[in-house]
Amino acid sequence: MTAAEVDVLVVGGGVVGAGAALDAVTRGLSVALVEANDWASGTSSRSSKLVHGGLRYLEMLDFRLVTEALRERALLLQRIAPHLVKPVSFLYPLTRRFWERPYAGAGMLLYDTMGMTPGLPRGVPAHRHLTKRTALAEAPGLKPSALVGAVRYWDAQVDDARFTLSLVRTAASFGALCASRTRVSSFVRAEDRVVGAVVQDTETGRERTVRARAVVNATGVWTDEMRRQAGGGCSLRVRASKGVHLLVPRSCIEMSSGLILRTEQSVLFVIPWGTDHWIVGTTDTDWTYSKEHPAVSSGDIDYLLEHVNAVLTAPLTRDDILGVYAGLRPLVSGEAEQTAKLSREHVVTRLQPGLVAVAGGKFTTYRVMAEDVVDAAVHELSRGVPASGTKDVPLAGADGYQSVARRTKVLAERYGLAPERVERLLQRYGTLVTELLALIAEDGTLGEPLRGAPGYLGAEVVYAATHEGALHLDDVLTRRTHIFMETRDRGLAAAEEAARLVAPALGWDAARADEEVARYRRRVEAEREAGRQPDDRRADAARMRAPGFGDPQPARMG
């Protein structure tokens, strides 16, 4: 990055920043992408993991946003990332006789119709009306008193952290220079123009200057901080809205589809996650504390349990909860008192000459946001640049996915794995699964499940370090895999084995591996203590008080 001036420097390694890097590099621009922490370590790994148009926005008559999101859903399902984005069905319980079915049915019909794009199939089945008896047969876990009928409709689900990582890897494959754990210390100016940034490698403490013809601020909820760091005035303001999610075993709720419910704040989803879990969420409340580590309070957990239990025959308890996580939505600030009332529209603005920013939006429309902000960055350059072409660019692991998926049994026999295991690997890695299987061919022990997390293989942990840029144990257990949120002990039983597996690739000695495990344990303890606190203020304080939690990561010199 420091060898020569780049056309575009993108700051922020979430889904929008990674998408902007891919958009710019596929237009033929030279690109640098920096992220202060790990890829997708903020909002982009803590979402509801849905790719959807948004029924709530349809009810708010935001037709443009819904149409745009449904078009992107179709692209993601069928062209851009079919290995990471999958159709998922939901039941919408009807609670009012006579008028609600035609009202909801008209909305669902419009939703299906708006999802039809010329030259691109919708990618999901159309909605279907269900009687009360049929709905309860598909979801016997629902109270009979909770519905008078139902409508089943389809949207899509995404592995958000792995999707963002795939964007980064795809951008890098086209020539983008991508560095995580690289924080912007200050912006470089020439007269009244931003011409780059001083960046610090947080692993070593070293600082370097990256010069760029245009800089993109794609830092989500940190947009205001970056704007102030650059100086100059701008009316753009971003508010953080906290969304909390719980993971429970699939056996706790007897249903064959997901579920969507109305709440006084927004909507509540019960979302299938893999074959073994449900995700229950989300909340939508203002957050004014640590943006790097939004905490889940006891009050958040009580809110979700109360609302989902209102419709379940067998109520969930805290003992059923395997994992919790919270993410922050970056909402463009307006006059609304509550964040749930702010728009999910995105905004692109020129903060200063040479510096543009994108804020707001939603995961589903990341590609549109990236295209729009790169269009703005192009205006800072002194030459013509082609239009965006990312709608036709499959992500790493997507090209040829269906062909490889048809060879599941062949791959299973060749590498001594169960077909169901290979199928899961394909849904995480797509065609890149052959790289992971090559590790197993070299060392058969890597084909064994982790003792503390049997849903994952040792090879996946090693691959996270050798191929996917993981630098710390937390990167592996939280974002390359989902062991942190999928296991009752938050991955503690797997931590030592995982650290031992990645140590050779990352150059760790035994002391460094032990230090990584100790830091991970402190993180888990902090999260658990936060979950015992009644409100956001005390939950945030409890999490940040954990020994060493707020310290920088251990430096790795050399």
Side-chain angles (χ1 to χ4, degrees):
M1 294 182 186
T2 61
E5 183 182 47
V6 297
D7 291 320
V8 179
L9 167 62
V10 180
V11 182
V15 69
V16 177
L22 177 59
D23 187 285
V25 76
T26 53
R27 298 190 197 203
L29 300 175
S30 58
V31 177
L33 170 65
V34 296
E35 161 57 41
N37 294 298
D38 184 28
W39 307 117
S41 59
T43 305
S44 297
S45 61
R46 306 174 189 177
S47 73
S48 295
K49 309 187 190 307
L50 291 176
V51 169
H52 62 138
L55 285 174
R56 179 161 64 104
Y57 308 118
L58 182 61
E59 194 170 34
M60 295 164 62
L61 306 182
D62 197 340
F63 299 126
R64 193 197 65 78
L65 177 62
V66 175
T67 300
E68 180 178 81
L70 290 175
R71 183 187 68 239
E72 294 303 308
R73 184 189 71 180
L75 284 169
L76 291 166
L77 277 166
Q78 300 168 89
R79 189 178 300 171
I80 295 175
H83 58 308
L84 294 172
V85 182
K86 301 291 183 181
V88 61
S89 65
F90 290 95
L91 286 183
Y92 175 75
L94 303 171
T95 59
R96 302 286 194 275
R97 296 186 182 277
F98 307 119
W99 67 267
E100 190 178 15
R101 186 178 291 279
Y103 175 79
M108 298 293 185
L109 178 60
L110 181 59
Y111 196 66
D112 287 342
T113 303
M114 293 170 73
M116 299 173 67
T117 302
L120 185 67
R122 187 170 53 224
V124 298
H127 78 281
R128 179 186 164 201
H129 284 271
L130 305 179
T131 64
K132 180 176 180 176
R133 177 179 295 181
T134 304
L136 289 174
E138 295 197 9
L142 296 181
K143 294 178 181 177
S145 60
L147 71 164
V148 297
V151 180
R152 182 171 60 194
Y153 77 99
W154 292 76
D155 257 319
Q157 184 177 60
V158 63
D159 186 330
D160 51 3
R162 295 202 59 80
F163 184 93
T164 303
L165 176 64
S166 294
L167 280 170
V168 176
R169 294 189 69 182
T170 308
S173 74
F174 281 99
L177 307 173
C178 307
S180 63
R181 308 287 178 185
T182 304
R183 187 183 304 275
V184 171
S185 301
S186 61
F187 287 95
V188 179
R189 310 180 70 87
E191 298 179 350
D192 66 341
R193 185 176 184 84
V194 174
V195 294
V198 177
V199 300
Q200 181 187 56
D201 179 348
T202 60
E203 298 289 293
T204 65
R206 295 195 184 106
E207 287 192 340
R208 294 288 188 272
T209 298
V210 179
R211 297 195 171 273
R213 298 178 180 88
V215 179
V216 171
N217 176 358
T219 54
V221 293
W222 288 274
T223 298
D224 286 355
E225 286 82 350
M226 295 297 296
R227 175 182 56 80
R228 287 192 292 268
Q229 190 174 17
C234 177
S235 60
L236 180 64
R237 298 289 185 276
V238 174
R239 285 172 64 180
S241 166
K242 184 175 71 165
V244 173
H245 303 79
L246 314 176
L247 255 82
V248 300
R250 185 66 74 92
S251 59
C252 286
I253 306 175
E254 193 176 358
M255 292 192 303
S256 60
S257 294
L259 185 69
I260 179 173
L261 304 169
R262 290 179 181 270
T263 72
E264 64 272 18
Q265 285 186 6
S266 178
V267 294
L268 183 106
F269 287 100
V270 179
I271 307 163
W273 180 248
T275 58
D276 301 323
H277 304 92
W278 296 105
I279 294 175
V280 180
T282 178
T283 61
D284 196 340
T285 56
D286 212 13
W287 177 259
T288 57
Y289 302 99
S290 167
K291 293 180 178 177
E292 190 168 353
H293 305 294
V296 177
S297 70
S298 179
D300 293 323
I301 295 171
D302 288 342
Y303 172 87
L304 291 174
L305 290 178
E306 176 188 350
H307 282 79
V308 74
N309 284 341
V311 301
L312 298 181
T313 57
L316 300 176
T317 70
R318 285 176 177 260
D319 290 339
D320 295 318
I321 298 172
L322 298 177
V324 299
Y325 67 93
L328 299 179
R329 306 175 190 88
L331 304 181
V332 178
S333 187
E335 298 299 322
E337 290 292 326
Q338 299 175 345
T339 56
K341 295 182 180 178
L342 295 179
S343 173
R344 299 305 298 275
E345 298 275 3
H346 68 272
V347 173
V348 173
T349 186
R350 188 189 198 217
L351 298 177
Q352 298 176 50
L355 176 62
V356 298
V358 57
K362 51 188 287 187
F363 195 105
T364 304
T365 57
Y366 84 91
R367 195 192 65 81
V368 179
M369 297 169 66
E371 177 179 342
D372 288 350
V373 78
V374 173
D375 283 345
V378 164
H379 287 302
E380 305 293 325
L381 308 180
S382 57
R383 70 177 192 271
V385 174
S388 173
T390 51
K391 65 181 178 62
D392 297 314
V393 178
L395 299 192
D399 198 16
Y401 166 68
Q402 300 297 344
S403 297
V404 175
R406 285 191 285 269
R407 300 180 63 241
T408 296
K409 291 185 178 180
V410 174
L411 293 173
E413 292 174 0
R414 179 179 300 174
Y415 294 97
L417 300 173
E420 296 79 10
R421 176 76 70 176
V422 174
E423 186 176 347
R424 285 193 183 190
L425 293 175
L426 280 164
Q427 291 174 359
R428 293 172 187 158
Y429 302 93
T431 58
L432 297 181
V433 72
T434 55
E435 297 178 348
L436 187 142
L437 293 174
L439 297 177
I440 297 174
E442 293 175 8
D443 182 354
T445 64
L446 296 180
E448 297 296 322
L450 294 177
R451 286 186 291 275
Y456 294 88
L457 301 179
E460 295 182 77
V461 172
V462 174
Y463 188 80
T466 58
H467 289 72
E468 296 183 329
L471 298 178
H472 293 279
L473 183 60
D474 183 60
D475 301 347
V476 176
L477 298 181
T478 304
R479 288 170 291 277
R480 304 309 184 278
T481 70
H482 298 295
I483 293 171
F484 171 77
M485 74 173 190
E486 291 178 351
T487 56
R488 190 174 297 278
D489 69 350
R490 310 292 200 268
L492 291 179
E496 290 188 10
E497 183 181 4
R500 176 182 58 79
L501 287 169
V502 300
L506 296 178
W508 295 352
D509 58 16
R512 174 62 189 276
D514 289 345
E515 185 178 14
E516 288 281 337
V517 173
R519 289 183 64 86
Y520 185 78
R521 288 185 183 279
R522 289 197 293 268
R523 181 233 168 142
V524 171
E525 292 165 4
E527 297 246 354
R528 286 175 169 168
E529 181 61 25
R532 300 184 188 104
Q533 306 307 310
D535 54 40
D536 285 350
R537 180 181 63 81
R538 280 174 278 197
D540 179 69
R543 181 160 180 173
M544 300 310 292
R545 275 200 309 268
F549 190 79
D551 298 343
Q553 294 281 1
R556 197 159 51 125
M557 306 302 290

